[in-house]
Amino acid sequence: MTSIEVEDGVEVFVRDMGMGDPIVFLHGWPLDHRMFEYQYQYLLDEGFRCIGIDLRGFGESDKPYGDYSYDRFADDVRAVLDELDVEGVTLAGFSMGGATATHYMSRHDEAYVDKLALLGAASPVITEKPDFPEGLDEAEVNPLIEGARTDRAKMNADFDEMLFYTDQSEEMMNWIWSLGMKASGQATVASAKTWRDADLRPDMNDITVPTKVYHGVHDEVTPIETTGEILTEGIQNAELVRFENSGHGLVADETEKINEELATFAN
């Protein structure tokens, strides 16, 4: 475990485990790298190197007031990979981390990355645009932002209830909630505005590496029809893998399946 200083002096926390082929994990909103605990266990046993990054504002990383754009997140990821100097990466991003991953691939010319794994990615577009009426109405997203401003603890609990299709234990839900509460309030609000407003469709044209799009068919946060299917159509070497018994949180809904899929893809 270490912290890496990025260009504006912010310390980004990185957990680096194992010695094999590297898989770099980018977490979703408003969680941190620990959300992949049950992926790490399996993949380390399978001989992979697992690198979990806490995006700025979340987990153990610094929490500055300021910029939480996808440009900023992607630049931080590049700084981490530059420091680690790791080749042949499978970049695995969940939800907001998936959008960060697609933007990284475009903004940084796929540096260090040989394969891309998108898990319930919040990409390329979440909310309605003039030429994208299929997106969510902003009125469905804004209560999360307002809740983060006024009662972040309740907002996190309410959002957690949206994540899963299968029943999760009370203890699991409490743990997920605790990850969200580790984030800074300002980062939670600012990054929610980022994923609400972003249009990453141009980035898809720049992604050339083999890509797997893993998506729950019951996802209510990033519906498969407006994210997973569009990513698969827009990225030239992408394949959609449908998770029939998953909502947004496929890492917990179908843990065994996602673990086996990642191991096979990253091999």
Side-chain angles (χ1 to χ4, degrees):
M1 294 182 286
T2 188
S3 289
I4 292 173
E5 183 175 327
V6 300
E7 63 181 79
D8 61 349
V10 168
E11 297 280 340
V12 172
F13 180 84
V14 180
R15 187 177 184 192
D16 189 352
M17 303 163 284
M19 299 294 292
D21 293 335
I23 307 176
V24 174
F25 290 87
L26 304 178
H27 62 83
W29 180 90
L31 309 175
D32 61 47
H33 84 278
R34 291 175 294 167
M35 66 162 287
F36 296 110
E37 176 175 340
Y38 302 104
Q39 284 64 62
Y40 297 149
Q41 291 178 8
Y42 179 87
L43 293 167
L44 288 168
D45 286 346
E46 292 294 308
F48 291 94
R49 178 183 179 185
C50 295
I51 301 168
I53 300 174
D54 283 350
L55 299 174
R56 64 169 60 209
F58 299 89
E60 299 297 329
S61 288
D62 284 352
K63 301 172 174 63
Y65 185 87
D67 182 12
Y68 287 91
S69 66
Y70 282 133
D71 283 353
R72 181 70 269 167
F73 286 149
D75 291 352
D76 288 351
V77 172
R78 177 61 188 266
V80 169
L81 296 185
D82 282 344
E83 180 68 22
L84 295 178
D85 193 25
V86 58
E87 298 289 346
V89 165
T90 296
L91 183 60
F94 169 75
S95 195
M96 183 179 75
T100 299
T102 61
H103 195 55
Y104 171 87
M105 298 297 281
S106 173
R107 184 171 172 85
H108 292 289
D109 197 27
E110 304 182 317
Y112 303 102
V113 178
D114 284 358
K115 298 177 183 178
L116 179 63
L118 302 174
L119 290 69
S123 182
V125 183
I126 298 300
T127 54
E128 292 178 343
K129 301 290 185 285
D131 63 343
F132 190 72
E134 302 90 347
L136 298 175
D137 190 316
E138 284 193 12
E140 299 179 67
V141 177
N142 289 337
L144 294 173
I145 297 172
E146 185 60 27
R149 285 196 181 103
T150 59
D151 191 342
R152 190 160 60 95
K154 183 178 187 304
M155 183 281 294
N156 276 339
D158 292 343
F159 182 68
D160 293 348
E161 293 293 333
M162 300 170 60
L163 295 182
F164 306 109
Y165 180 67
T166 61
D167 290 335
Q168 303 294 323
S169 68
E170 180 180 354
E171 292 79 8
M172 173 67 85
M173 298 300 290
N174 289 340
W175 177 66
I176 294 292
W177 178 87
S178 74
L179 301 186
M181 293 307 296
K182 187 78 172 178
S184 84
Q186 194 261 329
T188 302
V189 170
S191 58
K193 291 180 179 178
T194 291
W195 57 254
R196 180 194 65 187
D197 298 338
D199 186 345
L200 303 177
R201 283 177 288 182
D203 293 347
M204 294 190 291
N205 295 325
D206 298 328
I207 299 173
T208 66
V209 302
T211 300
K212 286 290 185 76
V213 179
Y214 304 111
H215 219 103
V217 301
H218 305 285
D219 194 328
E220 297 180 354
V221 178
T222 58
I224 189 171
E225 297 83 4
T226 56
T227 52
E229 291 179 0
I230 290 176
L231 287 168
T232 307
E233 294 169 2
I235 297 172
Q236 60 178 301
N237 291 318
E239 177 185 349
L240 176 63
V241 180
R242 298 167 65 91
F243 281 66
E244 301 292 339
N245 293 306
S246 289
H248 191 52
L250 68 169
V251 296
D253 277 332
E254 294 185 78
T255 306
E256 182 176 352
K257 180 176 179 178
I258 190 60
N259 290 349
E260 291 174 353
E261 287 280 353
L262 286 172
T264 299
F265 182 52
N267 201 343

